[in-house]
Amino acid sequence: MKQTKQAAGGPGAGCSVVCWQGGGGRHLFGRNYDFDRLAEGSGVLFVPRGMPLRSCVEGGDPRPGEVGRARYAALGMGVVLPGGVPALYEGVNECGLMGAQLYYRQFAHYLPQGRPGLPRLQPGLAVSYLLARCETAAQVVQELTGAVALAGVPLLGSVPPLHWIFSDRTGEAVVVEPDADGVHIYRDTAGVLTNSPPYPWQRLNLLNYTFLQPADRGGVQAGDEVVEPCFSGSGGQGMPGDFSAPSRFVRLAFLRGHTPPGRTEAADVAAGFHLLQNAAFPLGAVRVADAPAASALDAAVLPFDYTVYSVVLCAESRRMYWTTWECLRPQCVELAPLLARRTLCRLELGGSADVAYRNAELRDVEPPQPGGAGGL
């Protein structure tokens, strides 16, 4: 059956994911959402266990298997589509499985109607569907290789060019890429995913940066004199600093490998946000050349791609932490206390700046007493 290439030029969206092991055996998953817009109504979504589940909501009558119920509850960032269908951009489920979708510009191919005899899975619903159906990354692979078929069925009028990453509480991570010769699934040994080119190219490209090291480099012999370094950080000289997908991949792979585990979950989460900041798009630095037309759900479209929000997930605690471009103070929702709920729930993203004003806490410093500690 002929494959159809989706969004040949495609939106110039970014996005980066990094997976790593923190202290105490914690497994974490961080993601930057880089785009020039966010769909109207996007926010934190709780998808309850047992909720009616759809893998395809357009393109004719549903096939058998395209309508069911969620096996597992999930929490993530997303939007509720017409008809009450949740579409998660990334998230974590009650089993500790975590996943995200990222743009895969100029490479994404899908069968127009999937494969005969299999339920169709629309790319924009893949995260929601797989988190609601699977316990582990291995089960994600099983679903995508025999239970459902990715299909190029438009969702709200378009088929986004996507690839995916999933990671679980064992530390296993897989990348899913729908290419012209079929769907490829890779073990993500680098623990990183950005955008195009495909994952194998990105991983091989790391060989161009074997000289990177966390330790400073030594002095340089200049004739009879050794010029000693007068600054720190020289071990990272040559690391690409731009915002392209290959450069972000290299930076995150290097920094992930040299980030020490935290003593607490809060410390690991803070480290995660610092990792993500090293791949973030500053507003104004990445101008959009050919922005796609705004849809009915798009809000506040800007002429720049920027990091609209960042998310850190923990597989063990099943907590979701996030910051936005406007609000750098982490916010958090925990999945476990929500498991008794049976309805779809939504929380506003929260975009206003949150500044702690502490003037009232200032206290006079008592001058030292003569002859006392520190006295003259």
Side-chain angles (χ1 to χ4, degrees):
M1 186 179 294
K2 184 180 179 181
Q3 294 265 7
T4 299
K5 187 174 182 179
Q6 303 299 329
C15 296
S16 304
V17 167
V18 57
C19 312
W20 76 103
Q21 184 168 335
R26 287 178 291 274
H27 296 91
L28 299 110
F29 183 105
R31 187 263 177 80
N32 282 341
Y33 182 96
D34 307 318
F35 203 18
D36 65 340
R37 68 194 69 188
L38 189 62
E40 188 73 46
S42 294
V44 178
L45 297 183
F46 167 70
V47 181
R49 189 189 309 148
M51 178 181 174
L53 184 67
R54 296 289 302 270
S55 65
C56 186
V57 296
E58 295 181 12
D61 294 333
R63 296 179 186 175
E66 291 179 2
V67 180
R69 292 192 176 272
R71 294 175 183 169
Y72 308 110
L75 176 71
M77 206 71 75
V79 67
V80 181
L81 301 173
V85 178
L88 294 177
Y89 314 140
E90 73 284 312
V92 59
N93 73 7
E94 61 181 283
C95 307
L97 177 66
M98 304 169 288
Q101 64 183 32
L102 296 84
Y103 268 86
Y104 191 42
R105 183 180 178 185
Q106 293 189 4
F107 287 89
H109 288 71
Y110 309 101
L111 292 172
Q113 288 296 325
R115 296 189 182 278
L118 288 180
R120 296 165 300 179
L121 179 58
Q122 283 172 303
L125 297 181
V127 174
S128 305
Y129 181 84
L130 293 168
L131 290 182
R133 296 278 297 179
C134 303
E135 293 185 43
T136 63
Q139 286 191 4
V140 169
V141 175
Q142 292 172 5
E143 283 283 320
L144 292 172
T145 54
V148 294
L150 288 165
V153 178
L155 184 64
L156 297 178
S158 66
V159 182
L162 300 175
H163 60 174
W164 298 266
I165 178 171
F166 290 89
S167 180
D168 60 31
R169 59 198 308 169
T170 71
E172 186 71 39
V174 296
V175 171
V176 180
E177 295 188 331
D179 294 315
D181 59 347
V183 176
H184 295 274
I185 299 176
Y186 309 98
R187 292 189 68 194
D188 191 346
T189 54
V192 176
L193 187 65
T194 55
N195 310 107
S196 307
Y199 174 78
W201 186 97
Q202 301 274 25
R203 181 176 174 275
L204 194 62
N205 183 50
L206 295 177
L207 292 176
N208 289 316
Y209 300 93
T210 56
F211 53 82
L212 297 176
Q213 62 183 43
D216 285 339
R217 302 189 183 279
V220 177
Q221 187 75 38
D224 296 331
E225 181 185 9
V226 175
V227 181
E228 296 293 344
C230 58
F231 49 79
S232 297
S234 59
Q237 286 179 342
M239 185 185 303
D242 62 88
F243 307 109
S244 67
S247 295
R248 286 181 279 120
F249 194 102
V250 170
R251 288 204 300 280
L252 286 175
F254 172 77
L255 294 170
R256 171 190 181 272
H258 298 290
T259 296
R263 290 180 294 176
T264 64
E265 181 174 318
D268 281 328
V269 169
F273 281 119
H274 284 296
L275 279 172
L276 293 171
Q277 286 167 6
N278 278 276
F281 284 26
L283 181 59
V286 184
R287 182 177 292 277
V288 176
D290 298 307
S295 74
L297 283 180
D298 288 333
V301 179
L302 299 179
F304 303 99
D305 283 340
Y306 70 106
T307 300
V308 182
Y309 66 80
S310 300
V311 166
V312 174
L313 306 168
C314 179
E316 284 70 29
S317 69
R318 296 166 296 174
R319 294 189 182 106
M320 171 183 172
Y321 303 83
W322 74 95
T323 62
T324 68
W325 175 258
E326 297 87 357
C327 181
L328 297 178
R329 180 183 182 183
Q331 303 169 69
C332 178
V333 171
E334 187 174 359
L335 178 57
L338 304 174
L339 292 178
R341 297 198 180 194
R342 289 294 176 263
T343 57
L344 183 65
C345 301
R346 179 180 170 277
L347 175 69
E348 292 286 346
L349 195 60
S352 16
D354 187 357
V355 179
Y357 294 97
R358 303 187 61 183
N359 288 60
E361 299 177 47
L362 285 168
R363 298 291 181 267
D364 293 335
V365 177
E366 296 294 333
Q369 299 298 318
L376 299 177

